[in-house]
Amino acid sequence: MKKVIFLASERSGTNLLRTLLGNHPDIDAPVAPHFLDAFNESVGLYGDLKKKEHAQKLLEHMVKLANHSYHDWSLKAGAAELCERYSVNSLATAFDAIYSEKARQEGKNNYACKDNHMFNYVPLLERLPDAADIRYIYLYRDPRDNVASWMKRPLYMHTPYEIAKKWKAEQQEILNLVNRVGIKAHFLKYEALIANPEQEMARALEFIGVPVDEKCFQTDENNKESKRNEYWENLSKPIMSDNAKKYLKELSSKDLLVVESVCAEPMSALGYQPETAANWEKKKDFLFKPRQKIRIFLSKRKNRDNFFRKMADMQDKIDMINQIKKDL
């Protein structure tokens, strides 16, 4: 079974790529429950996962997360069955088991995972017995448009500076995995994907090692997920081939300077050209900190009610994860 793992920052087109891959008749690409982020810090509380009863407890909680209404995997197999079928004895094998079972349930032989922060868990995944079947896809997007996207719908980051810092750190981590650790990854530029999905998806499918299928070249107007979540509404619409360089209208000249200054090194490595001199220095901007605090406060106040009204399922999911941790 091929295991397609996305290495990417949030708001880089991962849901688009996931749904395009999921249109393939032999790749399952479900909504991401973010298993490793949810359980990595608390996995030690389950005890020795080489003991069946401990592994089953972990799987029981992972199935509960997968089947939450926010993801709606509708997994039918129970923890005991999963533990036996996939020889679960670690967090990595539990993660692989539950994705593999979802693919099996859907009648597919491969899966794609866009869980957040997967670049943090590459060493964990590389210990899987069949790690040779992993296919890493590095999907990256212009940081200026990444920032513009976050600023339109902020969840937990509220200023271009903090978003740019996160984007920079994540690209550096991924590039380090490729250049120093030596993992083999397929580079996929978001702007190229939306401009020429036929060519880029064909290349991605060839890298994965599955037959090229035209269903992967476009979105499905009947996509059910787009009806459930405001953040996924574009998944049933045609690919927006012009969804690039929106930052030219949506970022102020000062914000653009800050973002390009923070992200200069990985931007250059990935082939993005700056619009400014990219010479802003935080230490010389004496009013920067107080402005940041005011901006964060105003953004949180503006978006608080909107978040809880439209993302109630996400909050319920977070509450469920926190309760699981308390009960351990």
Side-chain angles (χ1 to χ4, degrees):
M1 178 174 284
K2 301 293 193 306
K3 317 165 196 300
V4 184
I5 305 297
F6 295 6
L7 306 177
S9 293
E10 295 175 73
R11 308 291 178 90
S12 294
T14 50
N15 259 325
L16 172 61
L17 178 59
R18 177 183 65 79
T19 53
L20 293 178
L21 286 176
N23 290 339
H24 194 282
D26 209 21
I27 300 176
D28 186 50
V31 174
H34 313 300
F35 290 120
L36 299 181
D37 271 359
F39 292 100
N40 185 56
E41 289 187 3
S42 58
V43 68
L45 299 176
Y46 288 89
D48 185 358
L49 296 180
K50 292 182 174 64
K51 295 182 178 180
K52 187 180 298 184
E53 63 271 24
H54 297 161
Q56 286 184 14
K57 188 67 174 178
L58 173 61
L59 284 167
E60 177 186 325
H61 289 158
M62 292 177 80
V63 169
K64 186 175 182 180
L65 177 58
N67 288 343
H68 186 276
S69 59
Y70 192 78
H71 317 115
D72 195 25
W73 277 28
S74 302
L75 276 175
K76 298 179 176 63
E81 183 180 351
L82 290 171
C83 197
E84 292 294 336
R85 180 175 292 154
Y86 298 99
S87 301
V88 173
N89 57 17
S90 66
L91 178 59
T93 53
F95 162 87
D96 185 49
I98 203 162
Y99 262 100
S100 297
E101 178 62 19
K102 180 66 166 65
R104 190 193 71 82
Q105 184 173 296
E106 299 300 326
K108 300 190 177 186
N109 291 311
N110 310 287
Y111 69 73
C113 166
K114 67 130 288 186
D115 284 15
N116 288 344
H117 311 124
M118 290 304 291
F119 43 81
N120 288 331
Y121 305 109
V122 168
L124 192 73
L125 297 176
E126 286 296 304
R127 293 199 290 269
L128 285 170
D130 51 357
D133 291 331
I134 298 175
R135 300 292 183 269
Y136 296 105
I137 295 183
Y138 174 24
L139 177 64
Y140 57 95
R141 183 184 188 184
D142 189 316
R144 296 160 294 192
D145 276 328
N146 184 270
V147 169
S149 175
W150 272 105
M151 293 302 295
K152 285 175 68 176
R153 291 178 175 176
L155 289 177
Y156 57 87
M157 292 190 294
H158 300 271
T159 67
Y161 175 72
E162 58 185 334
I163 299 165
K165 277 183 62 180
K166 186 172 187 290
W167 183 92
K168 175 185 178 181
E170 292 175 347
Q171 308 327 299
Q172 289 178 328
E173 177 67 24
I174 297 168
L175 291 170
N176 179 63
L177 287 169
V178 174
N179 297 327
R180 295 188 182 181
V181 178
I183 68 165
K184 185 179 180 181
H186 175 69
F187 281 48
L188 178 53
K189 188 176 186 178
Y190 172 77
E191 293 79 14
L193 175 62
I194 61 174
N196 195 342
E198 295 87 355
Q199 175 180 299
E200 295 303 323
M201 288 305 298
R203 291 178 61 235
L205 293 170
E206 289 170 2
F207 171 78
I208 294 168
V210 296
V212 174
D213 193 292
E214 292 183 357
K215 294 185 185 72
C216 299
F217 298 165
Q218 58 190 356
T219 52
D220 181 355
E221 64 180 7
N222 297 314
N223 183 287
K224 294 179 181 178
E225 297 161 14
S226 66
K227 309 296 190 296
R228 294 197 287 115
N229 191 311
E230 179 184 350
Y231 284 80
W232 304 334
E233 61 187 6
N234 289 331
L235 299 181
S236 59
K237 299 176 182 178
I239 295 172
M240 297 183 292
S241 59
D242 62 345
N243 193 34
K245 293 202 171 185
K246 296 295 181 71
Y247 64 84
L248 292 173
K249 292 183 178 180
E250 296 176 7
L251 294 185
S252 69
S253 57
K254 176 61 179 292
D255 285 342
L256 186 58
L257 174 64
V258 169
V259 172
E260 291 187 345
S261 300
V262 171
C263 299
E265 187 176 341
M267 271 184 66
S268 176
L270 295 171
Y272 293 109
Q273 300 301 314
E275 305 278 355
T276 71
N279 59 356
W280 174 81
E281 294 182 53
K282 179 182 174 183
K283 63 183 178 181
K284 294 183 179 180
D285 192 340
F286 302 112
L287 294 178
F288 177 72
K289 285 186 177 181
R291 285 179 183 147
Q292 278 280 108
K293 290 181 179 179
I294 293 171
R295 195 167 185 177
I296 290 170
F297 171 79
L298 292 175
S299 177
K300 285 182 176 179
R301 188 173 68 176
K302 177 183 177 182
N303 290 283
R304 182 180 58 240
D305 293 341
N306 181 61
F307 174 81
F308 285 112
R309 184 175 65 255
K310 296 183 178 179
M311 301 298 286
D313 276 357
M314 178 185 283
Q315 186 59 50
D316 186 69
K317 163 193 162 179
I318 293 170
D319 291 342
M320 186 187 77
I321 293 171
N322 289 335
Q323 189 59 53
I324 286 173
K325 292 177 180 178
K326 286 181 181 178
D327 292 343
L328 286 174

